[in-house]
């Protein structure tokens, strides 16, 4: 995608930029930053610089690899693909503090309604 979108600005969590192999300049984003009306939420665990994105207008949470939703079962990113499981679980608890109707994931089916309640339930199970 980066090669095809030669004029696009690329954003990533600062801790992950050195691991991204590209000749393009990557702009670091931090927790609470806003890009085109989308809120950046740092969700480390899967990687140190993992970020998720909240679209407050569309009530959509883009979880990336912070969460998976395999066969309707919402879970933390699997341990074998997670750099720091403790941080990943803390990120789920952080995500649960936001309100959104829909969520999409790097792996698994989207949740079309009640997504923040589902994340809150998962976070509670991690206590």
């Amino acid at each position: 995608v980066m090669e095809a979108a030669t004029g696009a600005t690329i954003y990533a969590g600062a801790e992950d930029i050195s691991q991204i192999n590209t000749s393009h300049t990557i702009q670091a984003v931090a927790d609470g930053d806003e890009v085109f009306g989308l809120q950046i939420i740092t969700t480390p665990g899967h990687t140190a610089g993992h970020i998720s994105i909240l679209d407050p207008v569309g009530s959509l949470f883009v979880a990336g690899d912070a969460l998976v939703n395999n066969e309707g079962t919402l879970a933390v990113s699997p341990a074998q693909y997670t750099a720091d499981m403790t941080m990943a679980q803390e990120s789920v608890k952080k995500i649960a503090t936001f309100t959104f109707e829909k969520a999409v994931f790097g792996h698994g089916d989207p949740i079309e309604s009640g997504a923040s309640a589902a994340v809150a339930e998962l976070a509670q199970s991690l206590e």
Side-chain angles (χ1 to χ4, degrees), residues 36-39 41 53-62 99-100:
F36 304 114
L38 305 173
Q39 183 179 351
I41 301 168
I53 300 167
L54 177 64
D55 175 1
V57 174
S59 195
L60 172 69
F61 187 79
V62 181
T99 302
F100 46 91

Side-chain angles (χ1 to χ4, degrees), residues 12 52-53 59 62 77 81 95-96 102 113 124:
S52 297
I53 300 167
S59 195
V62 181
S77 182
Y81 305 117
I95 295 165
K102 301 169 284 211
S113 65
Q124 192 170 36

Side-chain angles (χ1 to χ4, degrees), residues 38-53:
L38 305 173
Q39 183 179 351
I40 304 300
I41 301 168
T42 56
T43 50
H46 175 67
T47 64
H50 190 276
I51 59 171
S52 297
I53 300 167

Side-chain angles (χ1 to χ4, degrees), residues 3-105:
E3 297 307 319
T6 57
T9 301
I10 300 164
Y11 300 92
E15 298 86 351
D16 284 355
I17 290 175
S18 66
Q19 302 298 314
I20 301 171
N21 187 15
T22 184
S23 60
H24 294 281
T25 301
I26 302 173
Q27 183 170 333
V29 289
D31 198 48
D33 283 353
E34 187 176 299
V35 178
F36 304 114
L38 305 173
Q39 183 179 351
I40 304 300
I41 301 168
T42 56
T43 50
H46 175 67
T47 64
H50 190 276
I51 59 171
S52 297
I53 300 167
L54 177 64
D55 175 1
V57 174
S59 195
L60 172 69
F61 187 79
V62 181
D65 289 324
L67 297 162
V68 296
N69 189 34
N70 290 324
E71 299 178 15
T73 301
L74 190 61
V76 180
S77 182
Q80 69 264 34
Y81 305 117
T82 301
D84 185 328
M85 187 53 78
T86 300
M87 289 297 295
Q89 291 176 345
E90 290 303 312
S91 288
V92 171
K93 293 173 189 175
K94 179 180 182 178
I95 295 165
T97 66
F98 294 90
T99 302
F100 46 91
E101 189 62 24
K102 301 169 284 211
V104 293
F105 312 93

